[in-house]
Amino acid sequence: MRRAIDLASQAAAQGEVPVGAVVVYQGQLIAQAFNLRETLNDPTAHAERLALTLAGQSLGRWRLDGCDLYVTLEPCVMCAGAIVQARVSRVIYGAVDRKAGACQSLYRIASDPRLNHRAELIGGVLADECSDLLTRFFEDRRDPATRPTRRGA
């Protein structure tokens, strides 16, 4: 998760929403990505989706069974669908996404028994660090006149 957090920080430095993702297979990091929606002008360029694509290329197959996906924010509907389609074994995420989370918050796509695959889900890993990255990113983009003051800043 630490590597995913580093990637999320890189995304923020580029003006992208700070979400990072890594894919691990048999203990080895095989893919990593961060959000690139603004850079690529691509609404599907979420960290998870990009990392899954790179993992498939790394393994030479689209089935990612045996792979663990680490991501700093609970995946959205699109990414949860990609997780199911790719047959990812386990998803470990940091911050909960109460507005768009599709693994455990709003929806449970990645574990829905009606679908052909279900991923093991572990949420809340380094959640405070992951959440703080997102909070700071969006606070820094608000109009200074309406920006709430941060304690300790």
Side-chain angles (χ1 to χ4, degrees):
M1 186 61 79
R2 291 265 178 233
R3 180 63 187 143
I5 291 170
D6 290 344
L7 292 164
S9 295
Q10 290 178 42
Q14 288 186 210
E16 297 280 355
V17 173
V19 177
V22 299
V23 179
V24 174
Y25 179 68
Q26 296 181 344
Q28 298 292 319
L29 187 139
I30 62 166
Q32 58 185 1
F34 54 79
N35 275 1
L36 287 173
R37 286 172 41 167
E38 301 297 330
T39 302
L40 299 176
N41 294 311
D42 179 354
T44 71
H46 289 198
E48 305 96 300
R49 199 203 53 77
L50 295 169
L52 293 177
T53 296
L54 293 170
Q57 292 171 354
S58 174
L59 293 175
R61 58 186 166 96
W62 63 267
R63 288 177 186 85
L64 301 181
D65 50 298
C67 289
D68 295 337
L69 171 68
Y70 291 80
V71 61
T72 58
L73 180 65
E74 179 183 358
C76 70
V77 171
M78 175 184 67
C79 293
I83 288 162
V84 170
Q85 291 299 315
R87 294 163 173 74
V88 171
S89 295
R90 188 165 58 157
V91 178
I92 302 97
Y93 65 89
V96 167
D97 188 346
R98 288 178 175 71
K99 293 182 180 179
C103 286
Q104 294 179 309
S105 295
L106 291 181
Y107 305 102
R108 296 180 179 270
I109 292 171
S111 61
D112 190 320
R114 297 170 293 179
L115 299 175
N116 68 325
H117 175 77
R118 285 159 296 288
E120 178 186 348
L121 302 167
I122 302 169
V125 175
L126 300 177
D128 290 341
E129 285 183 54
C130 296
S131 184
D132 287 347
L133 266 173
L134 289 157
T135 300
R136 283 194 312 275
F137 177 82
F138 288 111
E139 281 179 357
D140 290 346
R141 276 146 186 78
R142 286 194 190 114
D143 177 20
T146 62
R147 186 181 306 154
T149 57
R150 287 200 321 237
R151 289 178 274 144

